[in-house]
Amino acid sequence: MEKGKRCAGYRKMVLAVCVLALVLGLTSCGTLGAPSGNFPDETSVVSGGNSLNETGMVSGLEEIPTVTGDLQVQIFMPDTLYAPKTWKEEDELSQYIVRGRLLDDAKQKLYYYTPKDDPSYGITVTSFEISQVYKGNLNPGDVIPLGEDYWTIERKGEFIRYERYEPSSAGKEYILFLRKGEDSSELRKGLYLPTIAETGIYPVVDPAEFDVDSKTAKELNLVVRQTEDYRAIYKEVIRKYMR
């Protein structure tokens, strides 16, 4: 019994450290002179299904280069100290849980250490139209700016995409676990961010036809995350939100 209590206490401590690490991670990119931008404040949400880029609410973004040749993919490792292993942990780390559709209006925000260098970091921002809300103060019909950790550059005719997980697809429906970007980070301010990268993103599927256990890491859009942990959460997400 005493051992069980110690384990439970340790798990709570780990979750507390995770929340702190997540907050620090969200703010770290904006503390070293990142360029200023005019992202929406924390109450900025478009109602009625309009694109955020059409309404002009998201500014300071750049067009994503049109890939006209081979695309090289460079993987960068996540800076998080911990990733959720259960739906409960994912829920506790998230401010919002929503279902909706990704619109086709992606642009990107880039951060340069010096103007002459290639960008050292970037975020792709896409409008996400919400159809159902399971947690948080959002509403069906709202359109929010979804920020994902990948960006694309063109260098001397070569196209390179930097990513930590396979990017989401326009027109596809997802269940998202989200947190709001901290105001102290100009790069992420006002954006809604998946909780711990791909563990916050779950494509909506037909439960009768989709077997999570049979899917490979590539089929689950995973790059660096442990497949078994993601599968375990995905099963719970399907059970709770897709039946």
Side-chain angles (χ1 to χ4, degrees):
M1 178 65 73
E2 187 63 30
K3 182 178 179 181
K5 290 182 179 178
R6 287 200 301 269
C7 289
Y10 175 76
R11 197 170 189 82
K12 289 181 179 179
M13 181 180 70
V14 169
L15 278 174
V17 171
C18 289
V19 173
L20 177 60
L22 181 62
V23 171
L24 291 176
L26 293 177
T27 60
S28 61
C29 292
T31 59
L32 296 175
S36 61
N38 297 314
F39 291 112
D41 61 31
E42 66 180 16
T43 60
S44 294
V45 175
V46 175
S47 297
N50 292 317
S51 162
L52 289 162
N53 289 322
E54 288 176 358
T55 61
M57 284 187 62
V58 178
S59 60
L61 301 178
E62 302 180 19
E63 296 291 339
I64 299 173
T66 300
V67 178
T68 57
D70 293 336
L71 176 66
Q72 301 178 39
V73 176
Q74 299 287 333
I75 306 302
F76 67 97
M77 296 300 290
D79 56 2
T80 51
L81 299 177
Y82 180 83
K85 297 182 181 298
T86 66
W87 169 84
K88 184 178 180 181
E89 291 178 1
E90 188 77 39
D91 175 71
E92 290 173 349
L93 290 169
S94 302
Q95 295 173 291
Y96 310 91
I97 304 174
V98 297
R99 177 172 177 161
R101 180 174 58 92
L102 199 68
L103 303 185
D104 189 11
D105 63 351
K107 293 185 179 179
Q108 60 187 12
K109 179 75 173 179
L110 303 176
Y111 168 51
Y112 299 83
Y113 279 120
T114 64
K116 294 183 180 180
D117 292 339
D118 285 339
S120 56
Y121 196 79
I123 292 179
T124 296
V125 181
T126 313
S127 301
F128 186 79
E129 183 179 3
I130 296 171
S131 58
Q132 290 182 264
V133 178
Y134 307 104
K135 180 179 180 179
N137 59 341
L138 295 168
N139 299 292
D142 288 346
V143 178
I144 60 174
L146 176 68
E148 295 192 84
D149 287 327
Y150 72 93
W151 68 98
T152 307
I153 66 169
E154 179 183 0
R155 181 197 297 147
K156 297 180 180 179
E158 296 183 337
F159 297 91
I160 306 171
R161 185 175 73 211
Y162 296 87
E163 62 182 42
R164 59 188 290 185
Y165 60 88
E166 187 76 18
S168 303
S169 301
K172 199 166 183 176
E173 194 175 15
Y174 292 91
I175 302 290
L176 298 182
F177 293 74
L178 302 170
R179 291 186 63 82
K180 199 70 180 291
E182 297 296 318
D183 288 345
S184 57
S185 170
E186 289 295 341
L187 191 64
R188 300 171 183 252
K189 179 181 178 181
L191 300 180
Y192 292 79
L193 310 167
T195 302
I196 317 294
E198 67 267 51
T199 54
I201 303 173
Y202 299 89
V204 173
V205 297
D206 182 350
E209 299 181 359
F210 188 83
D211 180 12
V212 176
D213 288 326
S214 69
K215 302 301 180 182
T216 64
K218 183 176 178 59
E219 290 173 324
L220 292 173
N221 295 334
L222 303 182
V223 175
V224 299
R225 188 69 64 212
Q226 291 294 322
T227 308
E228 291 308 313
D229 294 343
Y230 185 84
R231 282 193 183 120
I233 302 175
Y234 205 166
K235 289 177 184 178
E236 283 296 297
V237 169
I238 291 173
R239 186 177 68 82
K240 291 179 179 294
Y241 308 121
M242 301 185 200
R243 294 190 183 277

